[in-house]
Amino acid sequence: MSSKPEQKETHQANGAVLPIVPVDCLTGSDRGQLVEPSDFLGPDGDGVEVVVLESRANAKGVREEDALLENGSQSNESDDTSTDRGPEPASPLKETSFSIGLQVLFPFLLAGFGTVAAGMVLDIVQHWDVFKYVTEVFILVPALLGLKGNLEMTLASRLSTAANIGQMDTPKELWRMITGNMALIQVQATVVGFLASIAAVIFGWIPDGHFSIDHAVLLCASSVATAFIASLVLGMIMIGVIIGSRKMGINPDNVATPIAASLGDLITLALLSGISWGLYKELESKAYVNPLVCAFFIALLPIWIIIAKKNAATREVLYSGWEPVIIAMAISSVGGLILDRTVSDPNFAGMAVFTPVINGVGGNLVAVQASRISTYLHMSGMPGESSETAPRKCPSPCSTFFSSDVNSRSARVLFLLVVPGHLVFLYTISSMQGGHTTLTLIFIVFYMTAALLQVLILLYIADWMVHWMWGRDLDPDNFSIPYLTALGDLIGTGLLALSFHILWLIGDRDSDVGD
């Protein structure tokens, strides 16, 4: 036997790879984890005693898989049956529709009230001078709120998967995941915030043909500063939520993404309004302030890039994770253009308070579903691998919403939360006298139709997109949520604007649309 023993072969147990090493090389602590020895022949024909080590990460993966998979027998069996496994740990109760709904309900309502607060803020600040005279700021609203969703929800999904498969169990692993991911989202927030301001300038300039360099720099400074500060605050909250949920025995996939949005919209919109208002005031006497703000945050980019590159978990995303967030930003900016053109019309000023609500609720629900499907797939292997959970190239609506598997069950639960959730949020807005619209029956019918159609489309797209990305060797945790939340912004804003236009055309005077 050589002095440097090599790994001889691997066995699979419940989807995890277990090393087989010579018994001579084991420490005393490792010998305590032996499952059962087997005899293999060495290269010279002599018998070599080897053992199977059952790793702690595998045990956690087994427990989480049993909690997520509807049928525990779906786990992969070992190809080599000559080695007996030790007794498996007791499995927790499998997730039912009630347990899924119970875990999602509180974070969903909390996130919804956050979007209601954001809508109330937007309803107030739309009358500020900076929003009146630099209307391109409206284009930044869905783009930056969507960016918050893209980065923080992707971070939540990525860390939830890492926690569920045992990659954040030791303090060293935890610290490495925190520093790498925080640096990564600061890089993405700064770059995408800068690109969002350019998109706002272009979308504002093309229809009117008017361009102001002072306004362009103001948009750039406001967007970059807002994206950077909001991502820093929300990222820290997100990490605390995931660590806390794991310690409480709650699946982070069910609670992390909604809580990421509970204060996200409010914080982001408040920062955008306050920063843009302050910088707008400085234009008259201190025009150099805006360029300095831009330069300061952009100058910090090399620091965050170096930190993110040192972490193997974020290095790949740093190189390959730009396409989804940039395309998502462009999609959200189109939604912002719709909002700008609609809210700027006095007849539709009441739409401002409802836009963050319908967009936030749709984005939160589809992010939960995407995160759950991604974790479900990670339990069976690595992206691109073929298994029993192989990607469906074109799932039917029946398989998405009416099949017996756990992901279809969660889709039904999330869809059923739409109407009661929005009724609570609409009542809250009405009781706080927000907006310029009285809640009549016809208005509620149109609003609910738009909200249900939005979530129905998003959940179906999520089922197709996550599996499609998995089949193309792309990690859905990093790529799917930005597209889905951006589509939620675009679909939600478009359907809401259409509803307001129809209500105005049919003359729903009782709802006071536009008063």
Side-chain angles (χ1 to χ4, degrees), residues 1 8 20-26 31 34 36-42 46-52:
M1 181 177 297
K8 299 299 181 183
I20 298 181
V21 297
V23 69
D24 300 12
C25 303
L26 298 180
R31 291 174 182 270
L34 301 184
E36 183 173 343
S38 301
D39 291 332
F40 288 78
L41 292 180
D46 297 330
V48 180
E49 186 179 66
V50 295
V51 295
V52 179

Side-chain angles (χ1 to χ4, degrees), residues 125-186:
V125 301
Q126 67 175 323
H127 304 293
W128 289 7
D129 288 344
V130 64
F131 283 86
K132 286 183 178 179
Y133 301 113
V134 190
T135 59
E136 294 86 356
V137 178
F138 279 114
I139 302 177
L140 286 177
V141 171
L144 290 182
L145 296 188
L147 175 64
K148 174 273 307 173
N150 296 341
L151 299 185
E152 268 58 51
M153 290 183 181
T154 300
L155 172 67
S157 180
R158 190 162 55 237
L159 292 183
S160 295
T161 298
N164 284 331
I165 62 178
Q167 293 182 356
M168 295 175 60
D169 291 340
T170 66
K172 183 178 180 180
E173 292 174 334
L174 179 62
W175 177 250
R176 184 173 65 249
M177 293 294 292
I178 290 175
T179 54
N181 279 281
M182 286 297 294
L184 174 65
I185 64 172
Q186 294 310 115

Side-chain angles (χ1 to χ4, degrees), residues 76-155:
N76 295 334
E77 296 182 357
S78 172
D79 293 333
D80 187 351
T81 58
S82 62
T83 302
D84 296 332
R85 302 192 191 102
E88 295 184 357
S91 300
L93 292 177
K94 304 199 171 43
E95 288 186 308
T96 62
S97 297
F98 178 77
S99 66
I100 294 172
L102 189 62
Q103 290 187 25
V104 173
L105 179 61
F106 176 74
F108 167 71
L109 292 176
L110 183 62
F113 286 123
T115 61
V116 169
M120 300 292 290
V121 170
L122 183 59
D123 187 50
I124 295 172
V125 301
Q126 67 175 323
H127 304 293
W128 289 7
D129 288 344
V130 64
F131 283 86
K132 286 183 178 179
Y133 301 113
V134 190
T135 59
E136 294 86 356
V137 178
F138 279 114
I139 302 177
L140 286 177
V141 171
L144 290 182
L145 296 188
L147 175 64
K148 174 273 307 173
N150 296 341
L151 299 185
E152 268 58 51
M153 290 183 181
T154 300
L155 172 67

